[in-house]
């Protein structure tokens, strides 16, 4: 820089006072008057106008859209225009929990991030967590208390409720599992006040059997904490701990940790999955065995006997030999070999779970991987009690019910019984914040706050407390459940004070007093962190007391067709079914959206004579003891022959315009087996073809990767140990001077990135395919929802997708399109690769997409004329086109984040809402990069690695995505990839790192790490097929 | 003075007769004003002693201009005024410039030449043609002789023309 | 050259005199429109109306009205574009190249051929505009214009931009070439004009033409040089169009063989279209003496040659794909032949490679009906060629995860129909109001290659 003539901004600069130096880099220098102090009209008006956002939120609740901007008279000191605020809180939906950090802009929550301080949820999120922020702005939410469907005031409602409570007739509080200490306390007070009130809890997917088993074995009715990260061998019997279990963010994190490979850690866990449906867990298994639910007992008991014989423990008699005993024996030997292991089963039955406990006990896992002292309180429902309640309701023993944020009419198999019972009940009330099947039948509705509007505390895991604080004032005339309960027990205190008192009296004393000089300090600290861990009481490994001989294992009759109801990772249990982001999220395995369907093994589909086309299928009638639904068929490789799967969460009837009429309700097929709600129905399952044509919108219709090693590079552990480059594929270009690396051949001299060079690393070994990144990206980048028809037209807009590939038995030709019967699954997150030699840039006639000096492939929306040439020329097909105007367009009213004034509150102000006819794509969250750089600049420093990251990377529960500056030698990405600075471009020296389609020499800034499976050298049949490519 | 004849027009039916006629009348020292035909008669310009047109050179010049402008524009826009990293290529990716350069060369050459042709031949939409005889756009060739340019008298000229195969000899007064 | 008249078949039959030429051609312009013409015109206008409706909907709702998707970003739009551009090659080629080679048989067909070129290019131009997401901006943003937002130039790396220059240059030069040819004939009509209106209109169009020998000699130089310029231009245009694909990275597009292959294809389809139209014009206007069987036969021969070149190109593609050893490339062609779009590939092969071979039989290539049918078959085939190249390459490229099918909607069809309406409307207008045969040129060869009148 040559010295140029200087002009002073003022005298301060001339004599360069200390003050000046201090403030010269600040955006709002202190010596300038701000509101409150010194009178500077112009500046004040500026702040007034800019501050209107917060006001807008509360105003948006009104029926007519607000066109005027109402400025503050006095700007709240916490809210600065364009500067986001973050609040630690707890995500709650139904009985789903996650510790989160809420990002607000001008007082509007716009993004949910995982709370990295939480040991319980591990810092990641789930698709449901990410999407929950849109539900806050759901225009279908209940807006005020109602009696008999008519609007009323809270006081009138409270009078009515108190009258009912005081009447002395039997009233039951129904709820999902309650793990909020203060809510529990409030309820106890209520029940103390009214002896005629009792509490019943249940869970849509019940763990009642497991809980009872633990009560028998350990004397405490609670689920234990399981640590998958240290387990060397994991055996799962139909337990989808990655895709459907409570607190799965942690199990994903732990599982991924156990699979991480590097220079030091050359070991990884081995996962066996014995299951019928292809679950996320099964998809990540090293060995997957197809079993019918009716066979599980046989497998479990012979596994027990296998181990018992070695350990010299008594064995169980009368066991049948399982079909695939060779795999089971292998599992048994691995279990015995490994220092620590876990065996889990998804079956909700006391005796089966006792057997599982016995197995884990034989393996000594209660002193290693399973900790009963850290009880997981997320599931505590009791099937027996609930069934008693339903019977009582119908018999008239129970005359009233208060449904606390739960929806049993929809999400319990006995929903119909409750409907009939409610018609008899004299008093019924629902507190759910969304309209639902139960609330539509109750006489009163006392809508609850959304969790983002609530104060609350939780104890998801015993000893680990979690705070929930409002990040926005209530949008509608709703009232938090806690406050309602207090009001009904005529308590004077408001729930917030109640909460504080609880903490002051119960929690604060346990804290280390020297750290906090008073309770307020402690309280603020807890609010700031969002979590607080009680000083741990020494966990002593207790020995379960089980008499295996006395177990009466269910003798489930094997039918020729068995149904397994499952929960997928998109709409999950259906509580948030009215959330379009979740409805349009591709189901991790079938890649289907906007529907549920019968997953059937391809062989069976053929036998039934179902015609399968490109996203087109036919319907069948599924009938189980009287209940019958017409449902489309989805051929699912890896589905055990003779079994069918059906996902819960669909078939809502009064949830709102998005959810209603999507799919069928699978809850009704949850079977009551020996008093427990069982997901599996082993006999009496009838399916007959109806044959009505039906189309299911899928974002990916192909199954395999056609053996293209330049896309998926995988190997097995033993090979990797010998050669870290195992499974790598090195394309070479033939030139006049012989074969060369693609990067060595060029017509151009290339460009240097002097300052930053952003990159993303994707560890295929860590990615479990859960799909959280897709929704995180959708939230962050204002990505529209296009609806089922447009998905059928192959026009979904997601910027990051997860490609799911099955292995095939064929080795060449078009036959490679057909997946194996029991395929190995590989997930590959695919987003814009930010190619340094981007083919898309070259072909744009108007230079609307160009390269930044930091290696980013930029998209200039307002310059784009929409020739779509860039998308055609993109080898990764990650560019998305706005075929229609997706915002402010009645045709796309399901795109609720852009088509109603309330929904628009969720939009990220830092990201443009794209116009019709322009191309869009992943930008590496350039708005976050810029914000981070700006922050660093204001503080006169280089950006610190990890202080900002892309939405996908920050949401990933298994930490499979690492974003960072490849120019910074100390950044995590540079370390993991062993980045070497070339003369112009960077080179990754990590043996596992590769570029997808390296041969094209587009030089992406996204690196993938090879997928390593923990299998034996001598491969099994399906593995052979896989290795034929790898 | 009215009634005075300016031109004598020899009307010919056949181009070959016309050509020979041109030859002989010029040998007889007759100055031909111009010959008008319904279609191009090959070799007529040699007989009339016209020099070869230089329009091809004009075309070449305009072509050169096109090339220069095209290259200047592309290099100026992409390399100088606002360089951008596009597909990792250089700021002045010469191979990419070839097509546009070629097209502009052709464009300039053809339009330059045609423009020049219109100007020098005085062809323009509002142009009024000097027509001695409407039949010259149908099937007759007309040889126009300007009396004032020739010292021969009217009679001998008309005789000479008909002798050389003119089917009619008319006179034209402006 | 004069000797050719001796050995060759006469190019103009029926013992026409120079005056007859004037009569036969000009009277078509002067007389009342023929019944057949009115019917044809009505049909094309009908097509145009339907088309306009579809275009309007497309512009109002968005490109989503078409069947395109995230994977197949181009389909009918660019297929039609390339198809029309291809057709728009014959005219200039016939006039320019055949002029350079002094092929006199061109003279009675080049006028119509050039007209067809102009109209075909106009139709082609519709698609680059219509296929854009934001045509209201795109139509001028694609030009290197300085703008109020500061420096905002275009990207000269983009083949699409090359197209902008190539097509517009080709269009304007062809137009000039065509008009130059028309001037003397307009003069003829002007001088025959009986009513004031046509006198003025054709007066303006004829630019005040006086058939002076000096002007004629310049005129011929201009024609010759223009031909010399137009010839490489013609070849360059489809070469550059082929760059749209050849310079990309998509397997099936990324092919060095494209330029010659596309040019041959263009001439192929161009000649076929010229035949289709000439056979109609010939019938409607009774021009059998000017457009003789010999003309048709010669053009059919050109079709055999170019058709065979195209055929060789197809085979070469398959061979290179196999020989290259590039996985994606090999699959792309395996998929063309045996994938879900095999039927498109099959129709392409039959229409373009097999059917023209019938012209080896003199009987067929001198048979009007057969020629007419085959000329249409060829153009169907050429449409499928572009469809195969564009859609089958895109729908299954590198990552199997994003493979998708393309299903056209009625708006894909409608917009194609629109260009047909446009094409035929303009062509029939031309056929009515412009001399369909280059009188001046034909007159110049009546003597040398006209059939002598049989003395009675």
């Amino acid at each position: 820089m040559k010295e140029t003539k200087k002009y002073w901004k003022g005298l301060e600069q001339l004599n360069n006072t200390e003050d000046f130096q201090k403030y010269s880099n600040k955006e709002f220098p202190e010596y300038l008057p701000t509101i409150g102090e010194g009178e500077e009209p112009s500046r004040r008006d500026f702040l007034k106008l800019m501050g209107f956002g917060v006001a807008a939120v509360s105003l948006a609740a009104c029926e007519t859209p607000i066109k005027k901007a109402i400025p503050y008279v006095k700007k709240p000191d916490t809210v600065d225009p364009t500067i986001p605020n973050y609040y630690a809180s707890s995500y709650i939906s139904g009985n789903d929990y996650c510790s989160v950090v809420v990002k607000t802009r001008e007082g509007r929550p716009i993004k949910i991030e995982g709370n990295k301080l939480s040991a319980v949820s591990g810092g990641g999120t789930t698709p449901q967590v990410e999407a929950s922020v849109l539900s806050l702005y759901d225009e279908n939410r209940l807006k005020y208390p109602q009696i008999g469907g008519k609007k009323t005031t809270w006081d009138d409602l409270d009078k009515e409720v108190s009258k009912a409570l005081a009447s002395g007739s039997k009233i039951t509080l129904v709820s999902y599992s309650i793990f909020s200490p203060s809510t529990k306390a409030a309820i106890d007070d209520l029940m103390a006040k009214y002896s005629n009130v009792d509490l019943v809890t249940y869970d849509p997917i019940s763990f009642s059997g497991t809980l009872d088993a633990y009560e028998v074995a350990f004397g405490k009715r609670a689920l234990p904490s399981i640590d998958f990260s240290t387990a060397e061998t994991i055996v799962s019997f139909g337990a989808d701990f990655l895709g459907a279990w409570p607190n799965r963010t942690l199990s994903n994190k732990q599982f991924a940790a156990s699979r991480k490979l590097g220079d030091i850690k050359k070991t990884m866990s081995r996962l066996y999955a014995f299951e019928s449906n292809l679950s996320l867990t099964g998809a990540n298994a090293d060995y997957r065995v197809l079993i019918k639910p009716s066979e599980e007992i046989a497998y479990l008991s012979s596994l027990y006997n296998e181990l018992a014989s070695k350990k010299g423990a008594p064995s169980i008699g009368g066991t049948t030999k399982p079909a695939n005993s060779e795999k089971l024996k292998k599992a048994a030997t691995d279990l015995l070999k490994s220092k620590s292991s876990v065996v889990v089963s998804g079956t909700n039955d006391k005796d089966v779970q006792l057997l599982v406990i016995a197995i884990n006990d034989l393996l000594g896992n209660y002193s290693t991987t399973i900790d009963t002292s850290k009880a997981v309180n997320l599931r505590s429902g009791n099937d027996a009690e609930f069934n008693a309640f339903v019977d009582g309701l119908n018999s008239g023993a129970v005359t009233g019910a208060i449904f606390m944020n739960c929806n049993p009419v929809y999400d319990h198999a006995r929903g119909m019984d409750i409907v009939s019972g409610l018609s008899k009940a004299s008093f019924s009330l629902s507190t759910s914040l969304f309209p639902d099947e139960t609330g539509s039948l109750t006489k009163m509705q006392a809508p609850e706050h959304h969790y983002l509007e609530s104060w609350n505390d939780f104890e998801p895991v015993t000893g680990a407390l979690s705070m929930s604080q409002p990040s926005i004032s209530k949008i509608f005339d709703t009232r938090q459940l806690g406050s309602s309960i207090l009001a009904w027990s005529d308590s004077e205190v408001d729930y917030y004070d109640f909460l504080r008192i609880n903490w002051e009296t119960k929690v604060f004393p346990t804290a280390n007093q020297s750290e906090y000089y008073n309770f307020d300090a402690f309280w603020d600290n807890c609010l700031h962190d969002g979590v607080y861990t009680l000083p741990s009481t020494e966990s002593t490994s207790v020995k379960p007391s089980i008499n295996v001989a006395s177990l009466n294992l269910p003798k489930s009759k094997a039918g020729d067709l068995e149904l397994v109801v499952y929960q997928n990772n998109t709409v999950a249990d259906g509580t948030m079914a009215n959330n379009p982001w979740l409805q349009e999220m591709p189901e991790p395995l079938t890649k289907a959206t906007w529907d549920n369907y019968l997953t059937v093994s391809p062989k069976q589909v053929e036998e039934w004579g179902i015609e399968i086309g490109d996203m087109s299928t036919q319907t069948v009638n599924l009938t189980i003891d009287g209940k019958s639904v017409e449902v489309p068929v989805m051929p699912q490789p890896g589905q055990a022959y003779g079994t069918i799967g059906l996902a819960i969460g669909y078939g809502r009837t009064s949830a709102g315009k998005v959810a209603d009429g999507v799919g069928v309700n699978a809850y009704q097929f949850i079977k009551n087996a020996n008093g427990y709600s069982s997901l599996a129905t082993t006999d009496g399952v009838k399916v007959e073809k109806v044959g009505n044509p039906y189309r299911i919108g899928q974002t990916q219709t192909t199954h395999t990767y056609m053996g293209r090693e330049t896309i998926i590079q995988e190997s097995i552990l033993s090979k990797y140990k010998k050669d870290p480059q195992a499974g790598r594929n090195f394309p070479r270009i033939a030139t006049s001077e012989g074969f060369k690396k693609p990067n060595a051949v060029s017509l151009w001299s290339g460009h240097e990135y002097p300052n930053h060079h952003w990159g993303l690393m994707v560890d295929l070994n860590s990615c479990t395919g859960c799909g959280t990144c897709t929704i995180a990206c959708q939230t962050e980048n204002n990505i529209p929802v296009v609806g089922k028809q447009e998905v059928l037209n192959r026009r979904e807009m997601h910027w990051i997708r997860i490609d799911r590939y099955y292995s095939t038995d064929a080795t060449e030709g078009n036959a490679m399109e057909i997946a194996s019967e029991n395929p190995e699954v590989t997930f590959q997150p695919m987003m814009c690769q930010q190619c340094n030699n981007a083919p898309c840039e070259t072909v744009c006639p108007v230079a609307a997409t160009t390269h930044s000096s930091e290696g980013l492939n930029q998209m200039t929306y307002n310059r784009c004329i929409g020739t779509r040439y860039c998308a055609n020329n993109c080898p990764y097909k990650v560019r998305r086109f706005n075929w229609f105007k997706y915002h402010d367009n009645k045709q796309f009213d399901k795109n609720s984040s852009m088509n109603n004034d309330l929904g628009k509150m969720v939009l990220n102000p830092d990201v443009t809402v794209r116009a019709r006819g322009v191309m869009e794509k992943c930008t590496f969250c350039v708005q976050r990069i810029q914000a981070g750089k700006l922050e660093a600049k204001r503080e006169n420093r280089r950006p610190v690695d990890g202080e900002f990251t892309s939405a996908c990377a920050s949401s990933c529960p298994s930490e499979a995505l690492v974003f960072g500056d490849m120019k910074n030698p100390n950044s995590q990405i540079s370390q993991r990839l062993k980045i070497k600075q070339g003369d112009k471009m960077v080179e990754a020296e990590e043996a596992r790192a590769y570029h997808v389609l390296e041969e094209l020499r587009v030089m992406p800034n996204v690196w993938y790490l090879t997928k390593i499976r923990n299998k034996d050298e001598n491969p099994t049949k399906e593995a052979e097929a896989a290795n034929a490519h790898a | 003075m009215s009634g005075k004849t300016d031109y004598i027009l020899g009307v010919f039916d056949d181009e070959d007769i016309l050509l020979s006629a041109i030859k002989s009348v010029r040998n007889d020292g007759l100055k031909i004003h111009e010959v008008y035909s319904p279609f191009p008669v090959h070799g007529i310009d040699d007989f009339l002693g016209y020099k070869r047109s230089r329009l091809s050179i004009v075309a070449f010049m305009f072509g050169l201009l096109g090339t220069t402008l095209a290259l200047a524009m592309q290099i100026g826009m992409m390399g100088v005024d606002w360089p951008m990293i596009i597909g990792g290529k250089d700021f002045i990716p010469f191979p990419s410039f070839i097509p546009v350069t070629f097209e502009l060369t052709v464009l300039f050459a053809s339009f330059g030449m045609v423009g020049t042709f219109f100007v020098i031949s005085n062809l323009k939409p509002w142009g009024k043609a000097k027509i001695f005889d409407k039949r010259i756009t149908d099937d007759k060739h007309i040889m126009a002789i300007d009396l004032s340019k020739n010292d021969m008298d009217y009679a001998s000229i008309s005789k000479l023309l008909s002798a050389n195969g003119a089917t009619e000899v008319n006179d034209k007064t402006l | 050259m004069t000797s050719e008249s001796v050995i060759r078949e006469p190019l103009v039959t029926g013992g026409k005199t120079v005056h007859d030429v004037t009569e036969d051609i000009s009277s078509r312009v002067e007389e009342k429109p023929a019944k057949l013409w009115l019917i044809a015109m009505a049909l094309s206008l009908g097509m145009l109306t339907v088309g306009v409706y579809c275009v309007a909907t497309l512009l109002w709702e968005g490109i989503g009205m078409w069947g395109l998707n995230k994977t197949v970003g181009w389909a009918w739009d660019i297929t039609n574009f390339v198809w029309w551009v291809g057709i728009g090659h014959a005219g200039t080629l016939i006039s320019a190249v055949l002029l350079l080679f002094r092929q006199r048989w061109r003279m009675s067909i080049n006028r119509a051929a050039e007209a067809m070129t102009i109209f075909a290019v106009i139709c082609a131009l519709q698609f680059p505009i219509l296929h854009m997401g934001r045509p209201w901006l795109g139509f001028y943003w694609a030009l290197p214009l300085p703008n109020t937002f500061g420096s905002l130039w275009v990207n000269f790396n983009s083949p699409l931009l090359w197209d902008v220059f190539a097509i517009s240059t080709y269009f304007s030069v062809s137009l000039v070439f065509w008009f130059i040819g028309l001037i003397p004939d307009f003069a003829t009509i002007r001088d025959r004009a009986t009513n004031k209106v046509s006198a003025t209109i054709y007066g303006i169009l004829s630019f005040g033409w006086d058939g002076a020998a000096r002007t004629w000699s310049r005129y011929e130089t201009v024609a010759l040089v223009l031909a010399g310029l137009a010839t490489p231009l013609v070849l360059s245009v489809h070469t550059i169009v082929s760059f749209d694909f050849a310079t990309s990275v998509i397997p099936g597009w990324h092919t060095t063989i494209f330029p010659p292959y596309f040019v041959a294809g263009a001439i192929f389809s161009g000649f076929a279209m010229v035949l289709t139209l000439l056979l109609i014009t010939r019938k409607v206007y009774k021009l059998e003496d000017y457009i003789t069987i010999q003309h048709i036969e010669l053009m059919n021969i050109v079709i055999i040659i170019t058709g065979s070149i195209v055929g060789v190109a197809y085979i070469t593609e398959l061979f290179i794909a196999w020989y290259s050893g590039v996985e994606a490339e090999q699959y792309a062609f395996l998929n063309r032949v045996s994938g879900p779009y095999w039927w498109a590939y099959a129709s392409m092969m039959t229409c373009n490679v097999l059917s023209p071979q019938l012209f080896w039989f003199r009987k067929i290539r001198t048979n009007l009906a057969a020629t007419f049918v085959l000329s249409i078959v060829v153009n169907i085939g050429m449409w499928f060629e572009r469809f195969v190249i564009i859609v089958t390459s895109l729908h299954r490229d590198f990552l199997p995860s994003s493979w998708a099918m393309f299903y056209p909607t009625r708006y894909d069809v409608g917009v194609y129909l629109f260009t047909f309406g446009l094409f035929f409307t303009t062509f029939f207008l031309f056929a009515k109001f412009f001399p369909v045969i280059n009188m001046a040129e034909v007159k110049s060869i009546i003597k040398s290659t006209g059939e002598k009148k049989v003395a009675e």
Side-chain angles (χ1 to χ4, degrees), chain C residues 2-64:
Chain C
T2 42
S3 64
E4 79 184 341
S5 61
V6 181
I7 41 170
R8 291 250 181 116
E9 289 282 303
L11 290 169
V12 181
T13 56
K16 299 287 180 188
T17 66
V18 173
H19 179 67
D20 297 339
V21 176
T22 318
E23 271 305 321
D24 295 345
I25 312 302
S26 313
S27 51
R28 297 283 163 274
V29 179
E30 291 149 357
E31 74 200 1
K32 290 250 163 299
K35 196 173 206 65
L36 263 167
W37 184 87
L38 289 169
I39 297 164
M41 198 61 190
L43 285 174
S44 3
L45 281 173
M47 251 195 291
L48 191 61
T49 332
V50 178
V52 166
Y53 165 76
C54 293
V55 170
T57 324
L58 185 80
L59 291 174
W60 185 256
E61 295 289 344
I63 298 303

Side-chain angles (χ1 to χ4, degrees), chain C residues 189-418:
Chain C
I189 299 168
R190 172 197 65 198
D191 296 346
R192 288 166 52 95
T194 44
N195 68 60
K196 194 106 190 62
V197 182
S198 58
T200 355
I201 294 173
Y202 289 104
I204 291 165
L205 286 171
S206 60
F207 271 43
W209 174 268
D210 60 351
R214 193 178 295 277
T215 323
W216 271 122
S217 86
R218 289 183 187 133
Y219 177 89
E220 292 216 294
T221 324
V222 169
L224 201 64
V225 176
L226 267 186
L229 288 168
T231 309
L233 182 61
V234 158
L235 302 183
S236 82
V237 171
H238 229 53
T239 303
I240 289 175
V241 168
S242 78
F243 284 168
D244 287 350
F245 310 106
T247 62
S248 79
V249 300
I250 300 305
W253 282 14
H254 182 70
T255 321
T256 45
I257 191 180
F258 268 3
Y261 160 5
F262 268 54
V263 170
I267 301 166
F268 185 48
S269 61
F271 270 71
M273 186 54 107
V274 172
L275 272 173
T276 318
L277 294 175
L278 276 184
L279 288 172
I280 298 169
T281 326
R282 183 177 189 268
K283 190 107 212 73
V284 176
Y285 284 173
K286 315 193 179 48
L287 297 173
E288 289 79 0
D289 290 331
Y290 300 92
I291 303 159
T292 63
I293 292 294
Q294 194 200 350
H295 287 111
I296 309 224
E297 186 174 4
L298 285 167
M299 294 183 69
N300 281 338
I301 289 166
V302 176
I303 286 185
I304 308 177
I305 297 162
T306 47
S308 311
I309 296 175
V310 171
V312 171
Y314 296 161
I315 312 293
T316 320
E317 273 189 323
L318 294 177
F319 168 76
I320 293 296
W322 164 78
Y323 182 71
S324 70
V326 179
E327 202 170 23
E329 183 83 359
Q330 287 174 333
Y331 181 78
F333 284 89
L334 172 71
N335 182 49
R336 273 189 196 181
V337 182
S338 63
Y341 285 109
W342 67 270
W343 49 269
Y345 191 81
S347 4
M348 172 186 97
M349 276 294 188
T350 344
C351 300
N352 290 357
V353 185
L354 303 183
S355 68
Q357 303 309 323
L358 294 172
F359 283 140
W360 287 110
F361 306 101
R362 197 162 196 292
K363 261 196 143 14
I364 297 178
R365 71 169 180 266
T366 51
N367 174 315
L368 296 178
T371 310
F372 186 72
V373 173
L374 281 173
S375 69
I376 289 169
V377 168
V378 164
N379 268 316
I380 295 173
M382 284 311 288
W383 189 89
F384 272 111
E385 178 198 292
R386 279 62 176 256
F387 180 82
V388 164
I389 291 172
I390 293 170
V391 174
T392 62
S393 306
L394 281 177
H395 93 120
R396 289 185 170 187
D397 65 343
F398 292 102
L399 301 193
S401 63
S402 39
W403 289 359
M405 294 295 289
F406 164 79
Y407 306 105
T409 67
R410 74 174 83 105
Y411 291 92
D412 287 282
V413 186
V415 175
Y416 190 29
L417 209 62
F418 164 73

Side-chain angles (χ1 to χ4, degrees), chain A residues 557-797:
Chain A
K557 189 141 54 54
D560 44 16
L561 193 59
E562 306 185 4
L563 167 74
V564 183
V565 171
Y566 68 100
Q567 171 180 327
N568 69 23
N569 200 22
T570 62
V571 298
D573 62 5
T575 319
M576 274 199 288
N578 202 45
N579 188 314
W581 287 345
L582 292 179
Q583 288 287 4
E584 194 156 296
M585 173 188 168
E587 201 277 331
L589 287 142
T590 61
K591 293 293 161 193
T593 64
W594 289 105
D595 258 311
N596 71 341
Y597 33 75
L598 219 51
T599 58
V600 184
S601 73
K603 183 155 157 249
Q604 194 128 40
V605 173
E606 223 162 274
E607 291 176 1
W608 290 350
I610 306 288
E611 285 156 31
I612 301 297
D614 176 32
M615 290 190 288
S616 76
T617 177
Q618 291 177 308
T619 57
V620 293
N621 258 338
L622 168 64
T623 318
I624 299 173
D625 46 42
K627 299 182 198 136
S628 172
V629 292
E630 184 178 354
V631 56
V633 167
M634 167 75 74
Q636 175 63 64
Q639 178 85 31
Y641 177 80
T643 69
I644 51 176
L646 187 63
I648 56 166
Y650 296 86
R652 297 295 302 268
T653 52
S654 42
K657 66 167 182 286
V658 175
D660 289 353
V662 175
V664 299
N665 183 355
Y667 280 111
Q668 58 185 310
F669 295 117
I670 290 181
K671 187 178 168 208
N672 183 339
N674 339 323
Y676 294 111
S677 304
S678 150
L679 296 174
T681 309
T682 54
D683 59 345
V685 180
K686 265 181 243 46
V687 168
E688 66 273 348
K689 179 181 174 183
V690 178
N692 294 333
Y694 193 92
R695 301 204 73 199
I696 300 173
Q698 286 166 281
T699 60
Q700 176 182 352
T701 49
T702 45
H703 281 166
T704 68
Y705 61 90
M706 303 298 287
R708 297 185 177 179
E709 293 169 38
T710 57
I711 299 171
I712 298 291
Q713 304 189 5
E714 58 179 327
S715 184
I716 62 174
L717 185 61
S718 48
K719 289 190 184 147
Y720 169 77
K721 278 181 180 152
K722 287 195 216 79
D723 167 20
Q725 289 194 326
R728 285 291 311 283
N729 162 286
F730 301 98
R732 288 289 176 269
I733 309 295
T735 71
S736 52
E737 304 101 48
F739 286 94
K740 282 192 175 175
K741 284 177 70 177
N743 283 9
V745 192
S746 176
L747 188 62
W748 313 108
S749 46
H751 296 276
E752 194 167 8
Y753 305 139
N755 193 6
H756 301 288
H757 188 165
W758 306 110
L760 184 69
M761 188 202 77
V762 182
D763 188 343
L764 294 183
N765 233 32
S766 303
C767 177
T768 58
C770 67
T772 308
C773 46
T774 306
I775 303 302
C777 175
Q778 186 153 29
T779 322
E780 172 73 19
N781 292 301
N782 302 341
I783 296 170
V785 164
V786 294
K788 181 178 176 182
Q789 185 47 50
E790 283 294 276
V791 176
L792 281 168
N793 296 342
R794 309 305 299 267
R795 293 171 182 173
E796 81 279 356
M797 299 296 282

Side-chain angles (χ1 to χ4, degrees), chain C residues 415-436:
Chain C
V415 175
Y416 190 29
L417 209 62
F418 164 73
T419 48
F420 270 107
L422 193 62
F423 180 76
F424 285 111
T425 313
T426 43
F427 187 81
F428 288 132
L429 283 175
F430 152 79
K432 176 68 193 74
F433 296 106
F434 285 14
V436 288

Side-chain angles (χ1 to χ4, degrees), chain A residues 360-371:
Chain A
N360 279 312
D361 182 40
L362 278 179
L363 297 162
N365 292 339
Y366 286 96
S367 50
T368 54
T369 51
I370 310 179
D371 184 348

